[in-house]
Amino acid sequence: MQPQAHDVDVKALLRITVWSNIPTASNCSTADFMVTSKLFHENYKSVLNDYSAYMAREVNMSKQQTSSDRILLKYFNNVQGNLIF
């Protein structure tokens, strides 16, 4: 399967549906399951989570770094001088 010209647009729409908590069907089985659900014809009040405390938290990266994190940081520190802006 090769990427299609509209691949970026589809991915953006899927990110919006996930972020907005919108049910999305990507195949016939899932669509059938969603449409035949008893919740399809009832009122539904969505729950919006408050992530402000999570976003405002302080993260100490030195204690949480894994070996792959250290490799990536080393790579980006080495490449940083070669970047053209």
Side-chain angles (χ1 to χ4, degrees), residues 76-85:
F76 284 117
N77 287 335
N78 290 338
V79 173
Q80 189 173 9
N82 298 327
L83 296 177
I84 299 172
F85 295 99

Side-chain angles (χ1 to χ4, degrees), residues 2 4-5 8 14 19 24-26 29 33 38-39 41 45-47 54-56 62 75 79 82 84:
Q2 298 294 323
Q4 302 296 316
V8 175
L14 288 173
W19 181 75
T24 308
S26 59
S29 298
F33 181 77
K38 68 176 185 170
L39 297 175
H41 300 286
K45 181 170 172 56
S46 63
V47 177
Y54 175 78
M55 296 298 292
S62 62
Y75 171 77
V79 173
N82 298 327
I84 299 172

Side-chain angles (χ1 to χ4, degrees), residues 1-76:
M1 294 184 62
Q2 298 294 323
Q4 302 296 316
H6 61 278
D7 192 46
V8 175
D9 299 325
V10 172
K11 287 181 181 178
L13 287 172
L14 288 173
R15 281 194 299 271
I16 290 170
T17 61
V18 169
W19 181 75
S20 301
N21 199 23
I22 298 171
T24 308
S26 59
N27 58 43
C28 290
S29 298
T30 305
D32 184 50
F33 181 77
M34 289 170 54
V35 172
T36 58
S37 170
K38 68 176 185 170
L39 297 175
F40 189 75
H41 300 286
E42 295 179 5
N43 289 333
Y44 175 76
K45 181 170 172 56
S46 63
V47 177
L48 298 176
N49 295 322
D50 180 17
Y51 293 107
S52 58
Y54 175 78
M55 296 298 292
R57 77 193 191 288
E58 185 175 329
V59 178
N60 185 351
M61 289 299 294
S62 62
K63 293 181 181 179
Q64 296 180 359
Q65 283 183 351
T66 63
S67 60
S68 59
D69 292 334
R70 285 189 290 277
I71 292 168
L72 285 173
L73 284 172
K74 182 178 178 181
Y75 171 77
F76 284 117

